[in-house]
């Protein structure tokens, strides 16, 4: 059960544990909406669920405690996101300005505060 | 509305619309965000010993930055079934995303297999821009436009991944990690810009509040529960509000 990358090689591993477990959700989504209308209440609800999940992805990335993202202090991540958002609001909702500020803050904060 | 009479555009028009989608991709902030993010991802892939073409294939086949971060950072050390489980949990969001966007582009006469490519191209960036741009155009143009948008944005990721892979030796790992934060920044701002309806804004705001609470319970399937709880609460408020306004739907 505990086969690793070295047993099957990188390409087969990519397909079996990268592509397939990821793609299955897209295919299930495709099959489920067969015949449903854009304005149906079910789709309105599904859209709200998708939007909330997107916020969940954001929260996970900002607060994550494992993987390469975790090497940057969580205070730096939250602070940079907040700063970027403030600039986004000040700059009349410019996504470019907000993203650039937030990313610059991450880079600067990483340089200053990372262990 | 002659909704029954909307045939697919002839091939040269469809190709023109596909190119319009490419242009929309290059004009999207996500194109540059993806380049930055995938520079980080390409550098990490090089660092742990994957080949250039493996990185290209992973972007073409997986096309999901969080899943690719998991693959690159755990595939060398973790058991395969653990990696597969982590990847599939990180990708649950594609189910409601695909289910919400495909009905926007479907019209009578569209076959399921015409929707396979749009389903595969659906990722956070493409979905966010697609939900914003597709309703602005005639329904028969939406599939080629969405495909053009998806392929255009994926090109940005491929270019970024290649740059990161080549530069890897000169990028400190902390810098590669910092570059991965382009994606959450862009999710935050674009969602704030795009939430024009109460339902969208409420679902996103509640998701931000519910996600850490769900994570703290350590019950697993965090993303799924966040989506179901926060999304259903937002939907409930939306329905109540419509009832108060006296226009039931």
């Amino acid at each position: 059960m505990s086969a690793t990358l070295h047993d099957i090689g990188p390409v087969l591993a990519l397909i079996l544990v990268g592509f397939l477990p990821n793609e299955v959700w897209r295919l299930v989504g495709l099959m489920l909406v067969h015949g449903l209308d854009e304005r149906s209440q079910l789709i309105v609800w599904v859209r709200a669920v998708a939007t909330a999940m997107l916020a969940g992805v954001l929260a996970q990335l900002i607060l994550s405690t494992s993987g390469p993202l975790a090497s940057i202090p969580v205070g730096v991540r939250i602070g940079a996101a907040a700063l970027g958002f403030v600039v986004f609001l000040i700059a009349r909702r410019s996504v470019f300005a907000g993203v650039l500020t937030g990313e610059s803050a991450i880079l600067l904060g990483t340089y200053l505060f990372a262990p | 509305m002659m909704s029954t009479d909307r045939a697919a555009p002839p091939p040269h028009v469809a190709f023109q619309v596909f190119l319009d989608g490419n242009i929309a991709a290059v004009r999207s902030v996500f194109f540059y965000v993806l380049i930055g993010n995938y520079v980080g991802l390409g550098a990490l892939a090089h660092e742990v010993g994957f080949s250039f073409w493996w990185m290209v294939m992973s972007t073409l086949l997986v096309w999901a930055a969080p899943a690719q971060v998991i693959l690159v950072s755990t595939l060398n050390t973790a058991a395969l079934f653990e990696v597969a489980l982590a990847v599939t949990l990180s990708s649950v969001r594609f189910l409601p995303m695909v289910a919400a966007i495909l009905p926007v582009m479907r019209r009578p006469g569209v076959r399921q297999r015409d929707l396979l490519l749009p389903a595969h191209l659906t990722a956070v960036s493409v979905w966010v821009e697609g939900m914003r741009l597709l309703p602005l155009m005639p329904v028969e143009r939406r599939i080629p436009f969405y495909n053009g948008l998806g392929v255009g944005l994926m090109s940005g990721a491929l270019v970024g991944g290649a740059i990161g892979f080549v530069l890897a030796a000169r990028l400190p790992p902390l810098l590669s990690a910092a570059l991965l934060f382009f994606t959450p920044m862009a999710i935050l701002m674009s969602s704030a810009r795009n939430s024009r309806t109460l339902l969208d804004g409420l679902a996103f705001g509640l998701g931000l509040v519910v996600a850490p609470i769900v994570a703290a319970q350590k019950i697993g399937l965090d993303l799924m529960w966040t989506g179901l709880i926060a999304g259903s609460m937002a939907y409930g408020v939306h329905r109540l509000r419509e009832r108060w306004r006296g226009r039931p739907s």
Side-chain angles (χ1 to χ4, degrees):
Chain A
M1 266 310 276
S2 50
T4 67
L5 173 67
H6 309 286
D7 299 322
I8 63 169
V11 173
L12 197 55
L14 172 63
I15 291 168
L16 290 182
V17 307
F19 174 65
L20 292 178
N22 183 65
E23 198 72 1
V24 64
W25 298 113
R26 290 179 174 129
L27 295 177
V28 172
L30 171 65
M31 286 183 284
L32 281 186
V33 292
H34 189 62
L36 281 179
D37 186 78
E38 180 188 352
R39 282 150 301 188
S40 83
Q41 284 302 318
L42 184 61
I43 293 299
V44 175
W45 173 74
V46 163
R47 184 178 168 173
V49 171
T51 305
M53 274 192 183
L54 190 58
V57 172
L58 170 67
Q60 274 190 351
L61 291 173
I62 301 267
L63 303 173
S64 66
T65 51
S66 64
L69 298 161
S71 58
I72 294 166
V74 71
V76 170
R77 292 181 253 155
I78 295 175
L83 185 66
F85 195 72
V86 169
V87 169
F88 159 79
L89 292 177
I90 294 172
R92 279 185 275 156
R93 300 170 93 76
S94 158
V95 178
F96 268 98
V99 169
L100 269 184
T101 307
E103 187 59 30
S104 311
I106 279 276
L107 290 169
L108 189 67
T110 305
Y111 176 72
L112 291 178
F113 299 113
Chain B
M1 288 285 281
M2 306 239 308
S3 59
T4 50
D5 199 17
R6 289 189 161 161
H12 68 280
V13 176
F15 184 65
Q16 191 62 50
V17 175
F18 179 87
L19 291 181
D20 289 346
N22 290 164
I23 292 167
V26 178
R27 292 178 59 183
S28 159
V29 71
F30 274 105
F31 186 77
Y32 308 94
V33 162
L34 284 164
I35 292 179
N37 196 76
Y38 275 79
V39 166
L41 198 49
L44 286 170
H46 181 273
E47 191 193 329
V48 292
F50 289 108
S51 74
F52 181 87
W53 292 109
W54 185 92
M55 180 62 207
V56 171
M57 266 180 64
S58 95
T59 303
L60 287 173
L61 291 177
V62 179
W63 186 223
Q68 287 176 263
V69 171
I70 292 170
L71 279 179
V72 163
S73 54
T74 65
L75 203 46
N76 263 324
T77 48
L80 289 175
F81 75 90
E82 282 183 289
V83 181
L85 187 65
V87 164
T88 208
L89 290 178
S90 79
S91 303
V92 187
R93 65 180 183 284
F94 290 136
L95 165 53
M97 283 186 172
V98 166
I101 193 112
L102 292 188
V104 178
M105 61 186 95
R106 196 174 37 209
R107 59 179 201 286
V110 167
R111 293 156 300 185
Q112 279 290 83
R113 64 182 151 99
D114 300 327
L115 296 172
L116 265 177
L117 183 59
H120 177 68
L121 289 172
T122 296
V124 164
S125 53
V126 187
W127 188 78
V128 168
E129 296 296 38
M131 291 300 265
R132 182 168 68 92
L133 296 170
L134 289 188
L136 306 177
M137 66 190 63
V139 69
E140 66 274 14
R141 297 195 163 206
R142 292 178 187 172
I143 291 177
F145 183 87
Y146 193 77
N147 287 339
L149 181 68
V151 167
L153 287 170
M154 196 186 262
S155 319
L158 288 168
V159 168
I163 294 173
F165 198 89
V166 172
L167 285 186
R170 293 180 211 162
L171 283 180
L174 264 178
L175 179 59
S176 314
L179 288 171
L180 297 178
F181 278 97
F182 262 112
T183 293
M185 298 290 173
I187 293 176
L188 176 63
M189 306 327 154
S190 323
S191 304
R193 182 190 56 183
N194 294 356
S195 343
R196 296 223 172 79
T197 65
L198 172 89
L199 181 59
D200 286 344
L202 204 55
F204 196 81
L206 284 170
L208 277 184
V209 175
V210 168
I213 298 174
V214 168
Q217 310 306 312
K218 305 215 182 299
I219 41 175
L221 304 171
D222 293 1
L223 267 189
M224 190 193 82
W225 289 118
T226 300
L228 287 177
I229 295 169
S232 302
M233 283 165 70
Y235 177 75
V237 172
H238 163 78
R239 285 303 294 266
L240 280 176
R241 190 159 161 266
E242 290 207 327
R243 192 164 303 163
W244 288 333
R245 284 176 163 188
R247 44 180 192 88
S249 52

